[in-house]
Each structure stands twice: as C-alpha cells, then as structure tokens.
C-alpha cells in the first residue's frame, strides 16, 4: 500500500537520503546536500511551505514542495507559488506513485492558498524531467499546464587569475546599515515591474539580512553614478543550508573540466571538484541594475571578484536570461553555463498560457 501525506520533522533523515539519492541529471550530474536540517532552507524564507511525500511500505519514494509567497504580477499584488524539490526514486516512476497525486494536489493547493501560477525550473538537458512533467499525455489525471516562461542560465564566473577593478564612471563600495533604505527602494521599484517580483516594499531585504545564514549588510555591493544609486547586489554563500555535490561529468562537461583543471594548475586556482566532492561557491542575490545597463553590473562583478579571489571559492553564480542585455558584463571572465527552462505552472482547471515579458522575480539561489 502507498499514500501521500504532509512531511514532518521526523522525516528529516529520510528526506535528506532521498534528496541525495535522486540527482539532477544532465552533462553535469549533481546531488543536492541539505544536511543536517532539510527544512532550514524553507524556514529562512518568508511565506508558507508545504512538503508532500509519497510513502510506501519500505519508506519514502517521492517528494515535492510547494512554497507560496507574496509577489507582483502585471503590477498588482499576487500570491506566487514555487514548485521545488521534486524527487522520485526509479520504483516510484515505474509505478507512477507520486505522479497520480500531482495534478489533484496542485489544484487543491492553488485554490486553498490563492495562487494563480507556480514557478519551477528544469535543467534544459534533463530530458527525463521534461518528458515526465511538460509533455502532455492523455492518461495523466488533471495534468498541470507548463508554459515556458524563460530560458535562462545559471552562469558561474570562475576564479582564475587575480583581477583589479577597472576605473570607470561608477563608484562601487560595500553597503552600510545607512544604505539599506536606498537599496530597498531600488529593489522595490525594480520588482514591482517584474512578473512574479518580490515584495521588497514589505521588508524582504531586511528579512534576508536577518534570516539568511551568511547574508550581511557588508556583503551587499552598491554602484553609484554621480552620487545616485544605480545598481546593487548581495553575496550569499548557501553552505549552511544547501550544497551541490558532483556525482559525474558527462558529455561536454568532461572536456570543460579537463581544460579548466589544466588552466587552474597554471594559475594556482582551485580545480573543479572530483566526483563525490562539493563545489565551493556563492550566489549574487538582490541584484538590480538600472536600465539593464551591463556596465553597471560589470563594475559590481569586478569588485566582487577582486574581494573574493583567493578565498577558496571555485566560482560565484548569477542568473542571466537567454539573450540577456546584461550578458556583456561578464566578457573576459571564464564562465560555465548551466541552461534551464523556467516554467509558469497552472492547474488543469485554471490553465494560463501567456504571461508578461521582461525579467522575472525568480530567485535562483533558492531553487
């Protein structure tokens, strides 16, 4: 017999085991590590999280999380959902254990929590996930509708040779407590116009500074032009709540690793981790660039790179859309890109195909 239920803290060791045992498949095979506390990543965020597990006689063979927060859509307040941590063992995929409940649960959750659409990200090379989730099939009960919202890349800027920030028209410095209101105002104005933006007008930045382990005011970088704040970003190391362990390099990633390690040896930079070991990295979060001007982002990246070179990190990651106007900001840096599809997911009884264009409020660091 099998059944679907809400997870509890007693499930923590089983959830950690399931998450690590079902990797993200692609040219780079990654296992997510969330020990010692699987739930901490949820608890540091604002909003509500429901974690569902599929239980069989010998334990858990599938899980999926729904996180709901306040946000913006078409310039109006809304409730934004995110679907994540979807993992099923091979036995569950064969029996369609979790799949049988997915559609009905999403419909009920959307209605109960007042969510119009959910976001979810799928690795572009993960053919199995795209086939299982996105492709329409007649036999699937209340199958949710996946609308491709954006193609994006998790761009990793690797630490290689030492660089000094170039002199330009933008002044970049670390933030102080006195800068927080101005940074909030910049982020608020930006996110109000984004599809699924965050409610920085309701204290999102201050919440992150207080509740995200490792995030601090001193880790925020500000860019000024003529004394006016025109760009910002925050450095966040997620090691306390989330790590990525390499299980295998496949396809093009084998050649990427070989070439990178050869270069790293010459430059005395950290080599990419061998299978079984974790990446050391951080994210750029709370990023807002006035007018999508790549020169502003370039100035911020140069300062972040210079300040963190030689501290043992392999890279830092940031989100860029396909054909993103900010892409020129990274010219000349050694980059690795993992391509993803970002979907807007709607229940079968409330399908929506079209959403506004423009940069979204999706936060890659929490995926």
């Amino acid at each position: 017999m099998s059944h679907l239920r809400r997870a509890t803290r007693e499930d923590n060791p089983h959830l950690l085991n399931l998450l690590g045992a079902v990797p993200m498949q692609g040219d780079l095979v990654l296992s997510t590590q969330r020990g010692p506390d699987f739930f901490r990543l949820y608890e540091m965020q604002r909003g509500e999280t429901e974690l569902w597990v599929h239980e069989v006689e010998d334990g858990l063979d599938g899980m999926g999380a729904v996180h709901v927060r306040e946000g913006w859509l078409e310039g109006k307040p809304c409730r934004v959902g995110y679907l994540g941590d979807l993992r099923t063992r091979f036995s569950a995929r064969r029996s369609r254990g979790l799949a049988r409940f997915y559609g009905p649960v999403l419909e009920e959750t959307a209605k109960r929590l007042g969510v119009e659409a959910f976001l979810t990200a799928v690795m572009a090379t993960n053919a199995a996930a795209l086939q299982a989730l996105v492709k329409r099939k007649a036999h699937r009960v209340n199958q949710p509708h996946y609308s491709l919202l954006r193609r994006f890349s998790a761009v990793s800027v690797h630490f290689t040779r030492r660089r000094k920030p170039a002199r330009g028209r933008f002044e970049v410095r670390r933030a102080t407590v006195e800068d927080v209101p101005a940074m909030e105002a910049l982020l608020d104005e930006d996110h109000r116009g984004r599809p699924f933006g965050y409610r920085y007008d309701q204290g999102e930045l201050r919440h992150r500074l207080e509740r995200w382990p490792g995030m601090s005011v001193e880790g925020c970088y500000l860019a000024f032009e003529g004394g006016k704040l025109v760009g910002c970003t925050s450095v966040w190391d997620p090691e306390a709540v989330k790590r990525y362990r390499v299980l295998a390099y496949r396809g093009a990633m084998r050649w990427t690793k070989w070439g990178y390690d050869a270069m790293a040896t010459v430059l005395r930079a950290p080599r990419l981790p061998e299978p079984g070991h974790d990446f050391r990295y951080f994210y750029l979060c709370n990023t807002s660039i006035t007018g999508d001007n790549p020169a502003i982002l370039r100035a911020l990246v140069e300062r972040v790179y210079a300040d963190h070179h030689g501290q043992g990190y392999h890279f830092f990651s940031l989100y860029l859309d396909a054909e993103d106007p900010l892409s020129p900001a990274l010219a000349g840096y050694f980059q690795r890109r993992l391509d993803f599809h970002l979907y807007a997911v709607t229940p079968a009884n409330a399908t929506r195909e079209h959403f506004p264009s423009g940069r979204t409020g999706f936060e890659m660091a929490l995926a």
Side-chain angles (χ1 to χ4, degrees), residues 9 12 34 37-49 67 207 211-213 241 366:
R9 280 206 159 269
N12 186 65
R34 293 254 289 273
D37 186 355
F38 182 88
F39 293 90
R40 193 176 180 193
L41 183 65
Y42 303 144
E43 293 172 346
M44 72 181 211
Q45 302 176 58
R46 302 172 84 190
E48 308 164 60
T49 300
H67 180 77
H207 174 89
R211 297 294 301 274
W212 288 25
V241 294
L366 299 175

Side-chain angles (χ1 to χ4, degrees), residues 90-143:
F90 180 69
S91 58
R93 291 194 290 272
R94 289 182 61 188
S95 66
R96 298 184 62 248
L98 188 62
R100 289 183 288 114
F101 298 99
Y102 180 34
V105 167
L106 194 70
E107 283 191 4
E108 187 276 333
T109 303
K111 181 179 180 180
R112 174 166 46 85
L113 298 180
V115 179
E116 182 176 340
F118 298 84
L119 298 177
T120 197
V122 181
M123 193 179 294
T125 56
N126 191 345
L130 294 172
Q131 171 77 10
L133 296 171
V134 179
K135 188 173 181 180
R136 306 293 298 175
K137 293 189 176 179
H139 68 269
R140 292 180 178 170
V141 179
N142 297 359
Q143 183 183 358

Side-chain angles (χ1 to χ4, degrees), residues 301-347:
V301 165
E302 286 180 346
R303 178 64 186 274
V304 168
Y305 184 100
D307 285 358
H308 293 83
H309 187 278
Q311 295 188 16
Y313 289 108
H314 294 105
F315 57 85
F316 60 91
S317 285
L318 65 157
Y319 171 107
L320 287 178
D321 282 321
E323 302 180 359
D324 198 308
L326 293 174
S327 293
L330 305 182
Y333 287 95
F334 187 94
Q335 306 168 41
R336 178 176 57 84
R337 295 181 176 237
L338 279 181
D339 295 330
F340 288 83
H341 294 168
L342 179 64
Y343 291 95
V345 185
T346 47

Side-chain angles (χ1 to χ4, degrees), residues 53 56 75 105 114 155 165 170 175 216 286 298 348:
V53 293
V56 293
V105 167
V155 183
F170 303 106
S216 67
N286 305 319
R298 177 74 179 199

